[in-house]
Amino acid sequence: MHNATKLRELLRRPGIIKAVGAHDALSAKLIQQAGFDAIWASGFGISASLKCVPDASFVTLTEQLEIERNMAEAVSIPIIADCDTGYGNALNVMRTVNDHERAGIAAICIEDNVFPKRCSFYAGVRRELISIDEHCGKIKAAKAAQTVPDFMVIARTEALIAGWGQDEALKRADAYAQAGADAVLIHSKSLTFDELKSVARAWSGRVPLVVVPTIFDGVTAAELEEAGFKIVIYANQAIRAVIKAMRDALAVIKQDTRPGAVNDRIVKLKEVYELVGVPQMEEDERRFLPVGGERITAIIAAAGFEKQLLPLIEDKPKCLLDIKGKTILERQVAALNECDIKDIALVRGYRKDAITLPNIRYYDNDRFEETGDLYSLFCAENEMTGRCLFLYGDIIFDTAILEKLLKSPADITLVVDVAWFEQQERVHPTPPLKPDLVMLQNPPGTSNSLRYLAPDEQNRVLKIGQDLPYEQAHGEFIGLAMLSKDGIEALRQAYREARTKYESKGFHEAGSFIKASFTDMIQELIDTGHQVNCVTIFKGWMEVDSFEEYQKAWSKIRQ
Ligand code: SPV
Ligand code: MG
């Protein structure tokens, strides 16, 4: 929809339209975020911010238009461009109209000052107006030139500013409306609203009236609406706010010398990031740049000891079990490296000295016999500063699974195998093998899950744990998860809180907090309102939890 159509729609609605003067894309965005209806691309503001020059035709059409294009890219609400005198005569106005239509602007406003114009409020400058005829010619030319049907031309008269009186102002406004103007702006620098109020009372109502209450600044929008105005322009308050805020902050830094001295006067960096769209950029990077571009740390929990694997693991931990000439750990490292993940940390415990693979940072969990895998992971808490992958040390998986996980835009993503769910008869594994079962928001096989799920529209995990009743489960967590920087922060905070709260109590399925599993912590995050997502897979991975599984791995794995 063209920007002009949006303004036309606003005009059809009851109530006064509130537009605010912007001087660049950022201020336009803030105005939109503050909930105003429209942007006034202010000649006064752009002259000041772009070149620090008076509002007196020193900024060219090209320069002004460039700023307006930036605004049009940054906001979706209508933009009314202050075009001063139209950048020349009637013929120049015609090009001005077409340029603005193409720039995605809703309306232009042209005033009957002579060129070069002088801001209406400068006290000591010469003030002359062009003839009614000449300005009507500009308006007719503008209307004849427009190609976007909803595009609007607002005619502005400076008759009151020049001291030519109310009758002249009304006469001009009426002539401009007859010439085809879609609205008229009768500008005033009177200290009170009375002058314009009586002008508005005498107005024919042929086209809507626009008002700029800069000097008579005590008037409310309701009073303006009541008097008959349809658009109010808060023309220069935003840029004046900027000047004051900058000045104040600069004075404090100058005096104090610590940048932090102004922290209470400035927005957090994160707010700037959000304003300019960094979150979207991050998501786009994940979606469209080759996997692994972002620094990701993989943390492998490989501390545990499982009796049932003896004597296979007599002299080494499980992750060093050899499967067709390569250990599980070597296979994991190869998959990570293939996805360009070179930052690998490993928490070892049982037979820790046997793990000597290079290019891995090692952390030790010497309490591996009495602690769960959550405790192990947090032995590497120092690694948890940005995006992280968590892996159980006993899984082998296709690289494609890792690639799919890395594309997830969510803050917390688990890999869930739904093959298990699809099997008609769900086989109860024999103890001690207890899969980490997962209940999903959109179970596989329901109408909801049959439709295509876009990568950023993922399935949510509702419950996780080994004690989850089989009939409630939809899949199995494979022991591979990814957390964004925010996800990691949430995890660390939840961990700290839970450690104190559950110090001497059971924690979800664990008898005590130190015995807790990563999945207990995930359930805790879900229960405390965090969103946990998953990417679903169908087989393509393997876990070595028993001698039988080890044999299966040997028979299934390719070289
Ligand atoms: C502007 O903002 O440039 C205007 C409005 O034209 S005023 O400064 O009030 O004239
Ligand atoms: Mg102006």
Side-chain angles (χ1 to χ4, degrees):
M1 185 194 290
H2 195 278
N3 198 254
T5 307
K6 296 180 189 170
L7 184 57
R8 291 278 183 186
E9 276 182 9
L10 284 180
L11 277 162
R12 276 192 288 274
R13 285 198 215 148
I16 190 162
I17 297 168
K18 300 188 187 90
V20 180
H23 53 276
D24 59 9
L26 178 66
S27 51
K29 183 81 174 267
L30 290 170
I31 291 161
Q32 171 166 305
Q33 284 189 348
F36 286 96
D37 304 311
I39 304 294
W40 166 251
S42 162
F44 178 91
I46 294 171
S47 302
S49 72
L50 186 65
K51 301 191 159 192
C52 201
V53 295
D55 180 16
S57 297
F58 293 125
V59 171
T60 67
L61 166 62
T62 316
E63 291 164 340
Q64 173 103 3
L65 204 54
E66 166 104 24
I67 305 290
E68 289 164 2
R69 278 198 200 96
N70 297 341
M71 291 179 184
E73 268 184 54
V75 301
S76 55
I77 56 177
I79 300 172
I80 303 170
D82 174 9
C83 288
D84 294 350
T85 60
Y87 304 101
N89 67 18
L91 307 192
N92 301 77
V93 168
M94 296 173 85
R95 281 198 65 89
T96 300
V97 166
N98 297 140
D99 284 345
H100 280 77
E101 288 176 326
R102 281 189 290 269
I105 303 296
I108 62 162
C109 177
I110 47 175
E111 63 204 38
D112 53 11
N113 271 315
V114 295
F115 178 89
K117 65 95 37 99
R118 298 284 179 255
C119 168
S120 312
F121 308 130
Y122 297 162
V125 299
R126 290 171 60 171
R127 202 158 292 289
E128 296 162 59
L129 305 187
I130 60 173
S131 71
I132 295 182
D133 254 7
E134 189 180 348
H135 203 55
C136 284
K138 284 187 179 180
I139 290 152
K140 284 182 191 151
K143 292 308 289 178
Q146 84 180 60
T147 60
V148 173
D150 285 335
F151 193 79
M152 285 182 56
V153 176
I154 300 172
R156 159 168 163 181
T157 178
E158 296 282 291
L160 296 177
I161 301 281
W164 291 8
Q166 293 192 18
D167 289 345
E168 177 71 14
L170 280 163
K171 184 168 142 201
R172 283 182 171 249
D174 197 57
Y176 303 159
Q178 286 201 47
D182 300 291
V184 291
L185 192 174
I186 302 173
H187 208 7
S188 160
K189 58 177 179 186
S190 165
L191 291 171
T192 68
F193 179 46
D194 299 340
E195 178 181 55
L196 267 190
K197 206 170 171 176
S198 73
V199 169
R201 201 176 298 124
W203 172 242
S204 65
R206 186 189 285 273
V207 295
L209 283 182
V210 184
V211 61
V212 185
T214 300
I215 305 298
F216 44 102
D217 57 7
V219 67
T220 66
E223 286 163 344
L224 292 167
E225 185 180 348
E226 164 77 25
F229 291 95
K230 186 62 190 171
I231 302 178
V232 53
I233 297 173
Y234 302 95
N236 49 39
Q237 287 72 22
I239 194 164
R240 287 157 66 191
V242 168
I243 294 169
K244 176 160 167 52
M246 275 200 208
R247 243 191 206 145
D248 291 352
L250 291 169
V252 172
I253 296 175
K254 180 88 192 330
Q255 228 261 320
D256 187 294
T257 77
R258 288 173 309 144
V262 290
N263 281 353
D264 58 339
R265 301 165 180 270
I266 61 180
V267 295
K268 293 224 157 45
L269 277 171
K270 191 157 183 274
E271 278 185 60
V272 184
Y273 306 159
E274 272 157 17
L275 256 176
V276 303
V278 173
Q280 180 67 48
M281 188 182 84
E282 287 173 347
E283 191 179 323
D284 291 344
E285 276 199 358
R286 270 195 296 282
R287 287 182 64 192
F288 304 119
L289 293 188
V291 162
E294 181 193 9
R295 188 179 163 275
I296 301 178
T297 306
I299 304 176
I300 305 172
F305 164 70
E306 275 150 58
K307 217 173 37 225
Q308 74 275 11
L309 277 166
L310 283 173
L312 279 177
I313 57 163
E314 190 83 77
D315 56 349
K316 55 174 176 273
K318 202 158 56 159
C319 65
L320 293 188
L321 281 179
D322 180 282
I323 298 171
K324 294 204 172 158
K326 268 192 189 166
T327 65
I328 297 176
L329 179 59
E330 282 170 330
R331 288 179 183 276
Q332 289 194 342
V333 170
L336 290 167
N337 287 351
E338 231 179 289
C339 291
D340 253 334
I341 299 168
K342 303 274 166 38
D343 258 308
I344 303 173
L346 183 141
V347 182
R348 48 188 189 179
Y350 174 68
R351 295 275 182 261
K352 65 180 180 186
D353 297 334
I355 313 179
T356 53
L357 215 61
N359 305 321
I360 294 180
R361 292 187 293 280
Y362 292 104
Y363 295 83
D364 292 341
N365 176 9
D366 291 326
R367 297 173 66 190
F368 63 90
E369 271 169 303
E370 36 164 336
T371 57
D373 59 56
L374 180 65
Y375 183 93
S376 276
L377 280 172
F378 271 82
C379 288
E381 190 173 0
N382 281 347
E383 299 283 341
M384 300 179 191
T385 51
R387 181 168 291 274
C388 283
L389 282 176
F390 289 159
L391 296 84
Y392 289 168
D394 58 357
I395 55 165
I396 316 172
F397 47 86
D398 283 347
T399 310
I401 292 177
L402 186 53
E403 282 170 354
K404 190 170 179 189
L405 174 63
L406 290 170
K407 287 205 177 82
S408 167
D411 284 327
I412 304 173
T413 312
L414 310 184
V415 178
V416 172
D417 183 3
V418 293
W420 177 86
F421 176 80
E422 314 267 299
Q423 291 164 359
Q424 282 311 309
E425 288 168 55
R426 291 183 214 157
V427 193
H428 286 248
T430 42
L433 301 185
K434 292 191 94 189
D436 292 319
L437 300 178
V438 171
M439 181 176 147
L440 302 175
Q441 190 169 46
N442 298 315
T446 62
S447 59
N448 228 2
S449 73
L450 280 179
R451 74 194 173 89
Y452 170 72
L453 280 180
D456 50 356
E457 184 201 16
Q458 296 178 333
N459 217 330
R460 275 177 77 164
V461 174
L462 301 181
K463 278 189 188 158
I464 187 165
Q466 302 185 339
D467 299 343
L468 192 68
Y470 266 58
E471 55 284 2
Q472 285 184 21
H474 304 121
E476 177 178 5
F477 170 52
I478 75 162
L480 178 58
M482 180 173 71
L483 286 87
S484 71
K485 193 168 185 294
D486 287 349
I488 280 286
E489 256 167 48
L491 172 78
R492 293 178 70 180
Q493 190 180 335
Y495 182 83
R496 272 195 300 274
E497 283 167 11
R499 193 173 44 193
T500 327
K501 200 164 149 200
Y502 296 94
E503 199 185 359
S504 51
K505 292 187 246 182
F507 181 59
H508 297 280
E509 294 181 354
S512 65
F513 189 71
I514 62 162
K515 283 205 187 306
S517 179
F518 176 63
T519 53
D520 293 316
M521 199 64 224
I522 291 292
Q523 188 62 57
E524 175 72 5
L525 283 165
I526 296 170
D527 293 351
T528 51
H530 292 87
Q531 182 164 328
V532 173
N533 287 48
C534 72
V535 294
T536 52
I537 58 162
F538 195 89
K539 301 188 177 169
W541 69 288
M542 199 169 285
E543 176 182 27
V544 179
D545 244 347
S546 66
F547 187 70
E548 289 69 37
E549 285 190 333
Y550 181 57
Q551 281 181 316
K552 208 164 71 183
W554 257 98
S555 62
K556 282 203 178 163
I557 208 87
R558 283 167 284 144
Q559 214 44 45

